[in-house]
Amino acid sequence: MTKSDAPKLINLALQGGGAHGAFSWGVLDRLLEDPRVEIEGITGASAGAMNAVALAAGYHAGDREEARESLRCFWNGVLEEARTSPLKRTPIETMLGGWGLDASPAYVMFDLVTRLASPYDLNPYNLNPLKDLVVRLVDFDRVRKSKVKVFISATNVETGRAHVWDKKQLTADHVMASACLPWLFQAVEIDGVPYWDGGFTGNPALWPLFENCASDDVVLVQINPIKRPGAPTTARDIINRVNEITFNASLLHDLRSVDFVSRLIEAGRLEGTGYRRMLVHAIADEKSLAALGASSKFNVEPEFIDMLFGKGRDAAENWLHTSFRHVGIRATVNIRKLFQGEDDALDGDQLKPPKRKSKAEAE
């Protein structure tokens, strides 16, 4: 292995997004294939938390193929559990090649009922097949012993703040807390504290990587589009966009903080404080994922999962080709451009290393 091919240490930040988590699965599958990529830590929420523990369980001894198989086994389990689900596309939608469920009578009824009644009314016994799947397919002893550091976030219902657990504490309950959408499931209580989906306060939380990992490089696997042109006009689209903005808000806050610290470091104002510059990267396919409606997050048909998996692998391949060479050197996400709404903010090839001010200029 040449010096340029030597493994580079990275951290991964995995967003939640229901069935769209299969995109992240594809990304992880491709990264695990590449011996140049060494994963130090993973932070995740909701579907990102599930991908994180599935990978960590297989990667407990550093076996990449076992990690890939663990992820594949988990998603095959999801498909098997969903085989009898009534939430499927209509024949017309299938014929037209769409992936949304907006025209599905079962989804329309499901959507309406969850707006009128709480999960405490609809599911008093708190049954959750997804938890049974996680318990059956994820060995948490192996997660706790894994070579990869894992951080799972959930939202404290009482305080509205993010709570993060590391792998030493993780059980299936922690993963379910991270994936607990309040209009679908009863709050998950851990040590007497109720928790909802981690996406509300950290989708995903980035700070655990800054505080606990040696690598300066954070690769965000983005499945929730940040930008959508135009204003939604239907009631459903308005609600969906509000939810999307809500789930992106905490991530954007963290990215602003990263940029703020970077500016201070560039100005030489944090010397001797222990702060270090974080290098943010992103693997995304905003065009493809933005074209998918919110209802498609509940679509677990094999064809859809396979499509997302393939899109994820393609996005990872593109990132390895265009941006991987910058890992350890500079960021490939221009956070300042991102907040200015410029479309090339995620394009690593168009970024230039920021000009570091001299001490005299800073003063």
Side-chain angles (χ1 to χ4, degrees):
M1 183 175 293
T2 65
K3 184 177 180 180
S4 62
D5 291 331
K8 292 185 177 182
L9 202 62
I10 65 170
N11 296 307
L12 296 172
L14 307 181
Q15 288 193 310
H20 293 186
F23 176 89
S24 299
W25 168 33
V27 170
L28 297 174
D29 188 74
R30 179 62 188 91
L31 293 181
L32 287 165
E33 273 187 347
D34 197 317
R36 299 173 301 162
V37 177
E38 189 68 35
I39 302 171
E40 180 184 10
I42 305 176
T43 182
S46 199
M50 296 181 191
N51 277 323
V53 295
L55 184 151
Y59 204 50
H60 75 291
D63 190 321
R64 295 168 180 270
E65 289 305 313
E66 192 171 352
R68 294 179 67 201
E69 181 58 30
S70 179
L71 283 161
R72 183 172 297 279
C73 181
F74 176 79
W75 281 96
N76 283 340
V78 170
L79 291 174
E80 182 61 28
E81 286 290 329
R83 187 168 49 86
T84 57
S85 171
L87 299 181
K88 289 182 170 63
R89 292 173 295 164
T90 62
I92 293 177
E93 189 69 36
T94 302
M95 183 178 66
L96 294 175
W99 298 109
L101 303 177
D102 294 323
S104 165
Y107 177 78
V108 172
M109 181 61 67
F110 163 78
D111 187 47
L112 177 62
V113 169
T114 56
R115 297 186 193 280
L116 298 175
S118 85
Y120 296 86
D121 301 321
L122 299 173
N123 186 10
Y125 295 106
N126 202 22
L127 303 176
N128 190 341
L130 192 56
K131 179 179 178 180
D132 298 335
L133 179 71
V134 171
V135 169
R136 178 164 54 88
L137 296 181
V138 178
D139 186 336
F140 282 90
D141 284 335
R142 297 179 73 172
V143 173
R144 288 186 283 270
K145 297 174 183 176
S146 181
K147 182 179 179 181
V148 178
K149 299 174 183 176
V150 179
F151 307 95
I152 302 302
S153 61
T155 301
N156 184 318
V157 178
E158 298 173 333
T159 66
R161 297 173 183 170
H163 188 98
V164 177
W165 296 281
D166 66 22
K167 67 181 180 181
K168 297 176 183 177
Q169 304 166 292
L170 290 184
T171 66
D173 284 336
H174 296 90
V175 177
M176 290 300 100
S178 183
C180 180
L181 291 172
W183 49 90
L184 299 182
F185 304 110
Q186 297 181 25
V188 177
E189 287 201 7
I190 298 175
D191 297 328
V193 179
Y195 292 97
W196 281 340
D197 195 292
F200 291 115
T201 50
N203 194 25
L206 301 183
W207 59 264
L209 300 176
F210 305 156
E211 295 185 359
N212 298 281
C213 297
S215 174
D216 293 337
D217 292 271
V218 176
V219 181
L220 169 66
V221 181
Q222 184 187 349
I223 61 176
N224 288 301
I226 293 175
K227 183 180 179 182
R228 283 187 185 273
T233 56
T234 67
R236 176 177 290 164
D237 287 344
I238 290 170
I239 292 171
N240 290 339
R241 184 54 180 158
V242 167
N243 288 334
E244 198 167 58
I245 291 171
T246 301
F247 273 77
N248 278 329
S250 57
L251 172 66
L252 293 175
H253 178 271
D254 282 356
L255 291 176
R256 269 198 188 278
S257 298
V258 169
D259 183 51
F260 179 67
V261 171
S262 295
R263 287 172 183 262
L264 292 178
I265 291 174
E266 289 170 25
R269 297 173 62 181
L270 292 180
E271 291 181 8
T273 63
Y275 283 94
R276 71 187 200 268
R277 190 168 177 213
M278 305 309 300
L279 307 178
V280 180
H281 315 272
I283 298 177
D285 185 347
E286 282 214 277
K287 183 177 180 180
S288 295
L289 292 176
L292 301 175
S295 65
S296 67
K297 293 180 180 181
F298 295 93
N299 184 350
V300 282
E301 297 175 46
E303 298 84 0
F304 184 51
I305 299 301
D306 286 346
M307 185 276 290
L308 288 169
F309 173 78
K311 291 284 187 183
R313 281 189 57 91
D314 290 344
E317 181 68 42
N318 181 63
W319 181 79
L320 288 168
H321 177 69
T322 62
S323 301
F324 180 73
R325 64 182 179 274
H326 301 305
V327 169
I329 302 172
R330 62 180 176 89
T332 54
V333 170
N334 192 320
I335 299 174
R336 295 166 208 179
K337 279 190 174 185
L338 181 65
F339 282 100
Q340 293 167 0
E342 298 187 31
D343 292 333
D344 63 347
L346 301 180
D347 189 342
D349 277 343
Q350 295 190 28
L351 296 184
K352 296 180 180 179
K355 182 181 178 181
R356 188 179 180 89
K357 293 183 179 180
S358 67
K359 190 173 182 180
E361 288 175 323
E363 292 173 350

